[in-house]
């Protein structure tokens, strides 16, 4: 039956199977000592601290532009007082996590793919393997754990900056106090509006780290494969961010 | 010869990549304390054979026995235990480029020995002295020359005091003086620690210095075996071509 399927479809299933096995190995290794705490801490810094600028600027612009565009639309209806609620729901539920997730897929996913890809090409991963150092634990477990935990924090940070950007934009045309703005922002949210977007960011983080590591760790020999690993990491993890977002919307509709 | 003195035993090992049959029928035994040099044309599977021995490449058939264990029947943990006793010097050096010279050597030591931090530091200084890199201890690999990178690769491997050393073209790309230094280092290792070695090389001067026995890979099989002088005077034209 397989011979009737196009090669691209077979390749896709092989890739999904490979990723699933890779994820399985992550869960098998992550709880098993010894723990690479120093390297994990270094990866927290690499993933988190070094992405603060990019994610922060992106968040600010999103909030700022969203508010600026909403003002002329809502003003004729005398509904500018609803702008904080509108910004709040748009950013917390959808735009903040998805745009920040895509930015992280681009910066962090490609970085991991390229780094591990070049280590594979230069036989550094093989060198760790033959010296009994378990490269999967040192390179993959640490990076995936870092993205799993740091990307949700980055997204919360981006959401906060985006809301602040919205506040600045709103103050260009009207006079709203920071306290009143944020009180209206939180009034618009219920528990489900906070929990579901927060939970999905863990899936974003896990996927970005896992895909980047998988593509880099399994890169072919040759320098070209480093670029391929980085590129496919971004493409697949960006697509996965969108897919997880769609699933999260469906799940939240059912539960809340 | 007592069977326990055979540290590596390859029996009917075969390996293909796609339609290319690289290893057709590899049979090789390495005795304890012996240094065997593998000669053969480029791309005929010499490095593949080394990678089969450490479990990096799985053969299609045949058995790979290392220190009495079949490498491909071991659990990952048991394989790691065997790997601690094998040192592998890569052709490219395979240095960890995000780590300094010191960290490159500390990395396997911290994970594979019970040494204290002070003892690890002492061991690092000792092996760097052995390979003449003491003054470069805090440099990054990118700051080292080709010969220094090669010597660091050796230092990182010997720090674990392996019982078996696998050398993948240890002198390729080095000037004659440094190549001779590396060759002498292989001999010193054998004398100092009674290490058993397989050396893949095209460098006949290195071969002359280090080899107890030479095997020649031809058409996916080790077809010729002997000492340096025996093979140099071989009646086989293919074998003699390496010595001309």
């Amino acid at each position: 039956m397989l011979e009737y399927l196009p090669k691209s479809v077979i390749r896709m299933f092989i890739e999904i199977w490979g990723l699933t096995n890779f994820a399985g190995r992550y869960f098998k290794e992550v709880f098993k000592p010894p723990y690479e705490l120093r390297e994990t801490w270094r990866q927290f810094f690499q993933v988190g601290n070094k992405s603060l600028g990019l994610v922060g600027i992106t968040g600010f612009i999103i909030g700022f532009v969203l508010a600026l565009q909403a003002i002329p639309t809502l003003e004729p209806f005398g509904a500018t007082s609803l702008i904080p609620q509108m910004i709040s729901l748009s950013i917390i539920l959808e735009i903040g996590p998805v745009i920040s997730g895509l930015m992280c897929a681009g910066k962090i996913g490609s970085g991991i793919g390229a780094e591990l890809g070049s280590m594979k090409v230069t036989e550094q991963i093989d060198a760790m393997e033959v010296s009994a150092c378990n490269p999967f634990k040192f390179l993959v477990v640490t990076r995936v754990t870092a993205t799993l935990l740091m990307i949700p924090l980055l997204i919360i940070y981006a959401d906060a900056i985006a809301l602040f950007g919205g506040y600045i934009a709103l103050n260009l045309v009207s006079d709203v106090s920071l306290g009143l703005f944020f009180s209206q922002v939180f009034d618009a949210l219920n528990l489900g509006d906070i929990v579901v977007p927060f939970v999905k960011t863990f899936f974003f983080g896990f996927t970005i780290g896992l895909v980047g590591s998988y593509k880099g760790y399994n890169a072919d020999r040759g320098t070209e494969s480093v670029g391929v690993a980085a590129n496919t990491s971004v493409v697949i993890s960006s697509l996965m961010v969108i897919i997880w977002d769609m699933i999260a919307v469906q799940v939240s509709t059912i539960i809340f | 010869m007592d069977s326990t003195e055979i540290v590596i035993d390859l029996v009917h090992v075969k390996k293909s990549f796609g339609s290319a049959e690289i290893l057709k029928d590899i049979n090789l035994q390495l005795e304890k304390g012996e240094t065997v040099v593998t000669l053969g044309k480029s791309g005929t599977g010499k490095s593949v054979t080394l990678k089969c021995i450490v479990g990096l490449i799985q053969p299609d058939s045949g058995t790979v026995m290392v220190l009495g264990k079949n490498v491909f029947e071991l659990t990952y943990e048991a394989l790691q235990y065997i790997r601690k006793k094998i040192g592998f010097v890569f052709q490219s050096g395979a240095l960890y480029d995000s780590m300094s010279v010191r960290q490159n050597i500390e990395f396997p030591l911290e994970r594979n020995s019970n040494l204290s931090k002070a003892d690890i530091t002492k061991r690092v200084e000792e092996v760097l002295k052995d390979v003449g890199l003491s003054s470069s201890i805090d440099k990054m690999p990118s700051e080292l020359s080709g010969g220094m990178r090669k010597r660091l690769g050796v230092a990182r491997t010997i720090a674990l005091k392996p019982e078996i050393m696998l050398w993948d073209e240890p002198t390729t790309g080095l000037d004659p003086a440094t190549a001779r230094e590396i060759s002498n280092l292989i001999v010193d290792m054998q004398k100092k620690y009674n290490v058993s070695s397989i050396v893949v090389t095209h460098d006949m001067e290195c071969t002359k210095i280090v080899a107890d026995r030479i095997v020649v890979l031809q058409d996916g099989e080790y077809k010729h075996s002997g000492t340096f002088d025996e093979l140099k005077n071989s009646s086989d034209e293919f074998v003699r071509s390496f010595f001309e």
Side-chain angles (χ1 to χ4, degrees), chain A residues 25 29 32 36 38-39 42 115 118-119 122-136 138 221, chain B residues 51 54 56 76-77 80-81 83-84 86 88 90-92 94-99 107-108 110-112 156 160:
Chain A
R25 189 170 173 196
E29 300 263 9
K32 211 163 59 178
E36 296 284 356
R38 198 168 54 184
E39 178 63 10
R42 197 177 77 85
E115 188 186 10
S118 65
M119 289 186 76
T122 54
E123 296 183 305
Q124 292 177 55
I125 293 179
D126 285 349
M128 284 185 189
E129 190 76 72
V130 298
S131 58
C133 290
N134 195 348
F136 191 92
F138 183 76
R221 305 289 177 191
Chain B
K51 288 180 179 176
V54 287
L56 280 180
Y76 186 70
E77 286 73 21
Q80 295 290 72
Y81 180 75
R83 282 171 170 167
K84 286 178 193 176
I86 307 174
F88 195 119
F90 286 81
Q91 186 180 351
S92 61
L95 304 177
Y96 309 133
D97 49 21
S98 61
M99 301 181 197
F107 183 77
E110 284 170 349
R111 284 155 186 82
N112 292 319
R156 187 179 64 187
L160 284 166

Side-chain angles (χ1 to χ4, degrees), chain A residues 202-220:
Chain A
F202 285 96
F203 286 88
F204 292 177
F206 179 72
T207 305
I208 290 166
L210 190 81
V211 172
S213 300
Y214 173 74
K215 298 307 292 184
Y217 202 81
N218 294 298
D220 293 326

Side-chain angles (χ1 to χ4, degrees), chain B residues 123-168:
Chain B
R123 177 77 64 84
V124 170
E125 287 166 357
E126 186 186 309
V127 292
L128 283 177
K129 194 177 164 199
D130 279 350
V131 298
L133 279 179
S134 298
S135 58
S136 305
I137 190 163
D138 290 316
K139 286 186 177 168
M140 296 302 285
S142 57
E143 298 173 80
L144 305 179
S145 68
M148 290 162 93
R149 291 172 67 86
K150 206 78 138 184
R151 281 184 278 159
L152 174 56
V154 175
R156 187 179 64 187
T157 310
I158 62 176
L160 284 166
K161 297 191 174 167
E163 291 177 33
I164 300 167
M165 287 288 290
L166 305 175
W167 307 79
D168 192 0

Side-chain angles (χ1 to χ4, degrees), chain B residues 21-240:
Chain B
E21 206 180 357
I22 301 297
L23 305 181
K24 290 179 182 166
D25 186 21
I26 292 292
N27 294 283
L28 178 69
Q29 287 193 331
L30 179 71
E31 292 170 12
K32 188 162 179 59
E34 185 186 28
T35 301
V36 169
V37 170
T38 304
L39 297 178
K41 285 185 176 174
S42 297
T44 52
K46 300 185 297 296
S47 300
V48 171
T49 308
L50 294 189
K51 288 180 179 176
C52 286
I53 292 169
V54 287
L56 280 180
I57 293 177
Q58 182 156 14
D60 300 330
S61 63
T63 53
V64 178
M65 304 291 290
V66 178
L67 298 168
K69 308 278 184 197
N70 187 340
V71 167
F72 293 97
E73 285 179 356
L74 297 173
T75 61
Y76 186 70
E77 286 73 21
L79 178 60
Q80 295 290 72
Y81 180 75
I82 290 286
R83 282 171 170 167
K84 286 178 193 176
K85 299 177 179 191
I86 307 174
F88 195 119
V89 179
F90 286 81
Q91 186 180 351
S92 61
L95 304 177
Y96 309 133
D97 49 21
S98 61
M99 301 181 197
S100 67
V101 168
R102 180 198 298 276
Q103 289 167 332
N104 258 276
I105 302 170
E106 282 177 347
F107 183 77
L109 280 174
E110 284 170 349
R111 284 155 186 82
N112 292 319
S113 69
N114 297 319
L115 297 174
S116 66
K117 184 75 190 157
D119 287 338
I120 286 176
T121 305
K122 202 173 146 195
R123 177 77 64 84
V124 170
E125 287 166 357
E126 186 186 309
V127 292
L128 283 177
K129 194 177 164 199
D130 279 350
V131 298
L133 279 179
S134 298
S135 58
S136 305
I137 190 163
D138 290 316
K139 286 186 177 168
M140 296 302 285
S142 57
E143 298 173 80
L144 305 179
S145 68
M148 290 162 93
R149 291 172 67 86
K150 206 78 138 184
R151 281 184 278 159
L152 174 56
V154 175
R156 187 179 64 187
T157 310
I158 62 176
L160 284 166
K161 297 191 174 167
E163 291 177 33
I164 300 167
M165 287 288 290
L166 305 175
W167 307 79
D168 192 0
E169 305 206 15
T171 57
T172 301
L174 301 180
D175 62 89
T178 313
R180 209 170 302 120
E181 278 176 29
I182 297 284
S183 303
N184 289 329
L185 188 69
I186 296 172
V187 176
D188 290 346
M189 286 278 301
Q190 197 273 331
K191 283 181 185 163
K192 196 170 171 184
Y193 303 113
N194 196 27
V195 171
S196 318
S197 299
I198 296 180
V199 184
V200 167
T201 186
H202 295 115
D203 178 352
M204 296 315 293
E205 192 179 344
C206 170
T207 304
K208 192 175 181 182
I209 294 171
V210 306
D212 293 323
R213 181 161 60 100
I214 301 168
V215 288
V216 182
L217 188 60
Q218 187 181 5
D219 301 328
E221 293 176 36
Y222 287 120
K223 287 191 172 169
H224 313 274
S225 173
T227 63
F228 187 88
D229 289 330
E230 282 167 1
L231 293 187
K232 192 179 178 185
N233 300 313
S234 166
S235 56
D236 190 286
E237 197 180 332
F238 179 78
V239 174
R240 271 202 324 275

Side-chain angles (χ1 to χ4, degrees), chain A residues 69-115:
Chain A
Q69 289 186 332
I71 291 164
T73 311
L74 295 180
E75 211 166 27
F77 304 102
T80 46
S81 63
L82 293 175
I83 287 175
Q85 286 95 320
M86 192 216 77
I87 294 173
S88 167
L89 289 170
S90 305
I91 286 175
I92 304 288
L93 284 179
E94 192 61 33
I95 299 174
V98 172
I99 300 286
S100 306
L102 292 173
M103 296 303 289
C104 289
K107 184 183 185 298
I108 300 164
S110 67
I112 292 174
E115 188 186 10

